[in-house]
Amino acid sequence: MSTTRAVCTEPLEVGSDIAGEPYSISVLKEGYSLAQPDGSTRADGTISLLQGPKIILVDTGGPWDRDFLLDQLKKKGLDPGDINIVVGTHGHSDHIGNLGLFPEATLVVGCDMSQGDRYLPNQLAEGRPHPIDDHVSILPTPGHTGRDVSVLVTGTSVGVVLVAGDLFENSADEDTWRELSENPAVQEVSRQGALRTADVIIPGHGPPFRVRRHPIKGI
Ligand SMILES: [Fe+2]
C-alpha cells in the first residue's frame, strides 16, 4: 500500500492584500491573458509588492503600466527610490517593462542580479535558491524560459506564498501552459516542486490561488 497526493487549486478569497509577519504581499495588478478574435492576445503580467524589512517588487508589468505602477506605489506611500529589490521573474516585456523606474534597486531578472552596472555572483542558474532573508527567497523555477525565477515568502496569513511569474499562467492553465513553454519537461518539474511547497501561488496572468494537498491511500 502506498500513499500519494492529489493537488487541487481553488481561488483565494482575501482580496488583493495578504497580511504577514514580517512580510505582507499586495497584488498591485492582476495579470491577464485574453485571446482576441483577430488571433492576437492581450496580455499583461501580475505585479506584486512585498512590504517588510525590505521592500520588494516582483515584476513590473509592461511599459504601458508605467503611470499605473507609479500611482499604485504612491497609494502605498512609496516612491520608486524606496524599492530595495525588483525581481523580474523572466525577460518578457509584460513582466519587466518598467525596470527603468528603479535604477537604485538591486535588480534580479531571471538569474541575473545587478546593482547599477555591477553584476553579482549567484547560483540561481545552477539551480540554487538565493535567500534574501529568513522569510524571502528567490528560487530558480525554469521552463517557461530557460532562466525563470519565483519568489517564496513565508510567514503570511495564508501560509507559504510563491510569486511565480509564468511558471503558472493562472489556476486553470493545465491545457495552455505547455504551448507557452520553452521547455515543458523542465517546467513540469518546476511546477510540481511549487505545488509541493506553496500554500498559495500568485501566477503571472491570473488571480492568486490556494493549493490543496490531499493525502490519498492507494494500493
Ligand atoms: Fe512570459
Side-chain angles (χ1 to χ4, degrees):
M1 181 172 286
S2 64
T3 301
T4 186
R5 283 178 179 279
V7 176
C8 65
T9 60
E10 58 187 46
L12 180 71
E13 291 170 355
V14 296
S16 58
D17 287 315
I18 297 171
E21 182 58 46
Y23 282 95
S24 61
I25 305 173
S26 303
V27 177
L28 301 184
K29 181 162 198 171
E30 204 172 275
Y32 57 86
S33 180
L34 303 167
Q36 302 297 298
D38 65 359
S40 65
T41 301
R42 295 194 64 175
D44 202 0
T46 297
I47 307 173
S48 303
L49 178 71
L50 281 52
Q51 291 178 276
K54 291 193 164 57
I55 309 294
I56 303 169
L57 189 67
V58 186
D59 284 337
T60 69
W64 54 87
D65 287 319
R66 182 179 187 279
D67 292 343
F68 170 86
L69 178 53
L70 288 171
D71 192 49
Q72 290 294 306
L73 292 175
K74 196 171 181 182
K75 284 180 181 166
K76 298 287 184 186
L78 297 170
D79 291 321
D82 295 323
I83 308 297
N84 303 118
I85 303 170
V86 180
V87 178
T89 56
H90 62 291
H92 287 168
S93 55
D94 54 341
H95 295 262
I96 57 164
N98 293 297
L99 290 181
L101 290 173
F102 308 99
E104 291 160 26
T106 297
L107 300 180
V108 182
V109 180
C111 300
D112 285 341
M113 193 174 298
S114 58
Q115 287 166 335
D117 65 357
R118 199 162 59 97
Y119 279 78
L120 307 175
N122 71 82
Q123 294 188 301
L124 288 165
E126 286 75 50
R128 300 259 173 83
H130 185 88
I132 300 299
D133 57 27
D134 287 347
H135 299 275
V136 177
S137 251
I138 301 170
L139 306 184
T141 52
H144 175 68
T145 69
R147 296 166 70 88
D148 307 66
V149 295
S150 299
V151 177
L152 190 76
V153 188
T154 61
T156 84
S157 59
V158 296
V160 176
V161 176
L162 188 71
V163 190
D166 288 358
L167 178 62
F168 291 86
E169 293 287 316
N170 55 59
S171 64
D173 66 353
E174 201 45 52
D175 294 332
T176 56
W177 68 266
R178 287 178 186 83
E179 63 201 49
L180 301 165
S181 179
E182 288 184 15
N183 191 328
V186 167
Q187 189 169 347
E188 178 66 37
V189 172
S190 297
R191 284 168 65 97
Q192 290 303 320
L195 291 170
R196 280 194 301 273
T197 306
D199 299 303
V200 166
I201 288 174
I202 299 178
H205 296 276
F209 60 90
R210 198 181 286 274
V211 179
R212 294 284 190 209
R213 287 175 283 271
H214 302 296
I216 294 176
K217 287 184 178 176
I219 295 174

